[in-house]
Amino acid sequence: MTEELKQQLETKFRFRLNKNQWKDIKRLFYEIRRRDNIGYEDIIKELKKNASIQKAEGKNKFFVIKRDLINMRFPLTSKNEIIDTKRVFLTEIKEPYPENYKCSPPFTPETVYVEENAKGSYLEKRFRDKFPDTNIEIIDYYSNYIKSHKFSPGELKKPLIFIVKENWDFIKPCPCTKGHLGCNYWIFNLGMGCPFDCSYCFLQAYSNFPGIILPSNLNDFFNKFDNFYKKINRKIRIGTGEFCDSLALDDITGYSPRLIDFFNDKNVYFEFKTKSGNINNILSSKPSPNIIISWSLNPQIMVEKEEMCSVSLERRLEAAKKVRDKGFPVAFHFDPIIHTSGWENLYKNVVDMLYQEIKPPFMWISLGTLRGPRQLKNVAERRFKDSNIFYGELLIGKDKKLRYPEFIRKQIYKNMVKWIRTHDAKTPVYLCMEDEDTWSVMDKPFTSSMEIEKYLISP
Ligand code: SF4
């Protein structure tokens, strides 16, 4: 974006933009152009139609132009409500990262770093066997290595593996989001990082170090779980897949057979969440009614554009069918649902495809619309220069995350539930990270986390 545009605006509308005002205006022009695929001239032409810009005096001129641009940037929301400008996230436009690693399947590590404490572990052996030519380096602690090596977010997908001995974060409650209704989910924290590269992945906002961390001390996790469960002593839902894909590397790590063996006689629902078709270990394991394998679903066009290196929608459904035929309960997550033009057809088709392929009921279906911390947008737009999803109608929500406004989210959830219920009256459908008001459009409008948990555990 050039100084030329600034000069044009200043001349055409006879005013001066200070540095901060120019930052906002520049960002709005940039996003309108990206979302509507139009030129700056077209935007200026639109502005010129607004007589109140010419009438406005002094500082007011900037506010009238900004308001007009906000209305163009958020055409649906501006028709529905007066947008509070504080909810519009306008940051400096930054260049894409010069060195931006991309995933490239099949996952092949460039280097495997093994913490001293994890040396000789079964996980190290598996990596040595699968990748005999890969460089393996012993390090003291992962955290020290990261402190002494500087990485940029553009290196996030460098194919590095860190085999560690986890000492602290074994099991934790899902952090959900402030002031919203959670579902009391627990995270079995087996790894961090993912070989897939989804443009919306929240991990990009939290980590600026590359690689995938894989704990080798599964037995410590199991001991911790036994102690934890003595205290909690009620049926819970717990799973991997929050900070990593549960099965993406399962052929290498061999985690799933050990997890199934451990959890199949526990009073929990243990969930593997994936976007992969990596199910051989699952198919070789004995099914159990409390071991749930779940898939995230999105229209194929979104899979191709926004979920790089994961498998196609068709392959996810085929994998789910095989796992279901083997005898495992399955579940599905429509998350994140991305609001674009024609979203209704796209998502209705996915719902129809799901029910054509696999007979209900399922363990659960979750729905969640695109959301994320503001810094996620900053990183994602520098890593995925062709993705436009962050130029949708995302405003700063009550939890300070970027989200679609409530009327769009409600419209999406209402329709999704309607489409699901035409095929399936039984599967519990719940919302992920939503508030009580938004829950009111659901067929079961719960108002507390306990009610949601109960519904999912014993519907
Ligand atoms: S609703 Fe979603 S984010 Fe919140 S606790 Fe449940 S799984 Fe976690």
Side-chain angles (χ1 to χ4, degrees):
M1 180 103 41
T2 59
E3 273 300 301
E4 203 186 311
L5 172 65
K6 183 170 176 261
Q7 277 167 15
Q8 259 195 62
L9 284 169
E10 289 179 336
T11 317
K12 285 204 168 106
F13 297 104
R14 286 182 283 113
F15 78 133
R16 285 266 162 271
L17 284 160
N18 68 31
K19 200 170 159 229
N20 283 335
Q21 291 171 337
W22 173 228
K23 173 180 78 61
D24 289 0
I25 298 291
K26 191 160 67 166
R27 171 53 86 169
L28 284 163
F29 261 83
Y30 176 76
E31 296 199 0
I32 296 165
R33 197 181 67 136
R34 289 287 301 260
R35 58 159 291 145
D36 295 342
N37 198 17
I38 55 174
Y40 295 137
E41 285 302 327
D42 301 309
I43 305 171
I44 294 175
K45 256 189 229 153
E46 274 308 302
L47 286 176
K48 279 166 92 181
K49 288 183 194 160
N50 183 353
S52 50
I53 297 179
Q54 296 298 358
K55 276 189 220 144
E57 295 289 338
K59 245 176 141 183
N60 280 344
K61 195 159 271 191
F62 161 73
F63 293 116
V64 181
I65 290 179
K66 184 173 171 182
R67 166 64 54 197
D68 227 19
L69 289 172
I70 287 175
N71 292 347
M72 284 187 226
R73 165 66 184 83
F74 299 92
L76 295 177
T77 313
S78 59
K79 276 196 198 101
N80 191 67
E81 62 200 49
I82 296 169
I83 300 172
D84 177 354
T85 50
K86 287 199 207 79
R87 294 181 63 208
V88 182
F89 179 54
L90 301 169
T91 44
E92 204 66 70
I93 301 164
K94 298 211 171 123
E95 291 296 317
Y97 292 115
E99 194 182 28
N100 190 19
Y101 281 79
K102 289 282 164 206
C103 56
S104 62
F107 180 79
T108 311
E110 186 184 287
T111 306
V112 176
Y113 297 94
V114 183
E115 277 187 356
E116 193 71 50
N117 279 335
K119 214 166 105 185
S121 62
Y122 90 99
L123 203 53
E124 182 192 340
K125 188 171 177 316
R126 286 187 74 103
F127 271 91
R128 281 190 189 278
D129 290 349
K130 289 253 178 196
F131 305 102
D133 299 328
T134 294
N135 179 34
I136 303 220
E137 268 184 45
I138 305 298
I139 54 174
D140 60 349
Y141 289 107
Y142 161 77
S143 50
N144 290 345
Y145 182 87
I146 292 301
K147 263 184 232 150
S148 56
H149 292 74
K150 223 174 151 30
F151 293 106
S152 105
E155 290 176 275
L156 203 67
K157 288 292 150 178
K158 225 173 175 177
L160 307 179
I161 290 286
F162 292 88
I163 297 180
V164 302
K165 179 170 184 278
E166 178 61 64
N167 290 312
W168 311 105
D169 273 343
F170 294 94
I171 295 157
K172 48 189 178 194
C174 178
C176 205
T177 194
K178 211 170 141 216
H180 289 60
L181 293 180
C183 63
N184 293 346
Y185 197 80
W186 290 86
I187 297 167
F188 199 72
N189 194 26
L190 204 54
M192 167 102 174
C194 182
F196 303 151
D197 201 7
C198 299
S199 57
Y200 51 75
C201 178
F202 75 99
L203 291 174
Q204 300 171 96
Y206 295 112
S207 65
N208 57 1
F209 50 84
I212 301 172
I213 307 167
L214 296 170
S216 60
N217 51 329
L218 249 75
N219 287 338
D220 292 339
F221 275 80
F222 296 149
N223 292 336
K224 286 282 170 189
F225 176 84
D226 284 336
N227 291 335
F228 155 83
Y229 195 75
K230 271 182 213 144
K231 287 181 213 139
I232 203 148
N233 201 22
R234 64 183 167 86
K235 191 159 190 170
I236 55 163
R237 293 162 65 238
I238 185 167
T240 51
E242 207 70 14
F243 303 117
C244 55
D245 183 286
S246 301
L247 297 179
L249 297 180
D250 199 54
D251 56 320
I252 309 169
T253 63
Y255 279 158
S256 70
R258 296 184 65 184
L259 290 164
I260 294 172
D261 261 11
F262 178 78
F263 280 106
N264 64 10
D265 61 352
K266 306 286 180 292
N267 187 27
V268 300
Y269 283 128
F270 190 89
E271 183 179 21
F272 294 90
K273 277 189 203 162
T274 191
K275 290 187 183 96
S276 82
N278 202 357
I279 51 169
N280 284 347
N281 284 337
I282 302 287
L283 295 179
S284 326
S285 304
K286 192 164 164 263
S288 173
N290 71 327
I291 305 289
I292 325 299
I293 323 295
S294 68
W295 277 265
S296 302
L297 302 180
N298 243 322
Q300 180 57 23
I301 186 169
M302 299 293 176
V303 173
E304 282 161 26
K305 280 167 72 179
E306 313 295 342
E307 298 180 343
M308 257 73 75
C309 300
S310 63
V311 304
S312 67
L313 171 65
E314 206 178 307
R315 276 193 58 201
R316 291 180 208 182
L317 293 176
E318 273 168 23
K321 187 169 186 318
K322 283 187 190 156
V323 162
R324 169 66 170 269
D325 290 348
K326 170 81 187 179
F328 285 94
V330 293
F332 298 94
H333 302 280
F334 287 90
D335 198 346
I337 298 172
I338 297 166
H339 183 263
T340 51
S341 72
W343 73 270
E344 291 98 330
N345 274 341
L346 290 172
Y347 282 92
K348 185 176 179 303
N349 281 342
V350 181
V351 171
D352 293 343
M353 273 174 80
L354 165 64
Y355 285 98
Q356 265 157 29
E357 194 69 31
I358 311 159
K359 205 168 153 275
F362 312 127
M363 282 306 285
W364 46 72
I365 290 179
S366 79
L367 306 176
T369 50
L370 178 65
R371 60 203 174 276
R374 284 166 278 178
Q375 61 272 33
L376 171 62
K377 177 172 171 176
N378 289 339
V379 179
E381 78 175 350
R382 299 181 73 188
R383 294 196 61 239
F384 300 92
K385 58 183 177 42
D386 298 325
S387 172
N388 275 352
I389 59 173
F390 286 100
Y391 309 126
E393 306 241 348
L394 295 164
L395 292 161
I396 299 171
K398 281 184 273 187
D399 56 354
K400 306 286 176 226
K401 288 188 175 150
L402 288 172
R403 310 171 152 262
Y404 300 127
E406 202 170 280
F407 79 98
I408 291 185
R409 304 200 317 269
K410 283 182 169 172
Q411 192 189 34
I412 291 175
Y413 297 137
K414 247 181 165 162
N415 277 295
M416 288 296 288
V417 173
K418 184 176 82 190
W419 299 326
I420 290 168
R421 290 293 175 234
T422 58
H423 298 277
D424 171 5
K426 282 198 184 145
T427 299
V429 181
Y430 71 102
L431 299 180
C432 188
M433 282 195 204
E434 279 300 351
D435 57 15
E436 203 178 313
D437 191 27
T438 309
W439 263 94
S440 67
V441 300
M442 298 298 283
D443 53 352
K444 308 261 182 195
F446 297 118
T447 56
S448 76
S449 298
M450 284 313 280
E451 283 176 308
I452 299 167
E453 183 183 36
K454 200 166 157 246
Y455 173 56
L456 296 172
I457 284 179
S458 42

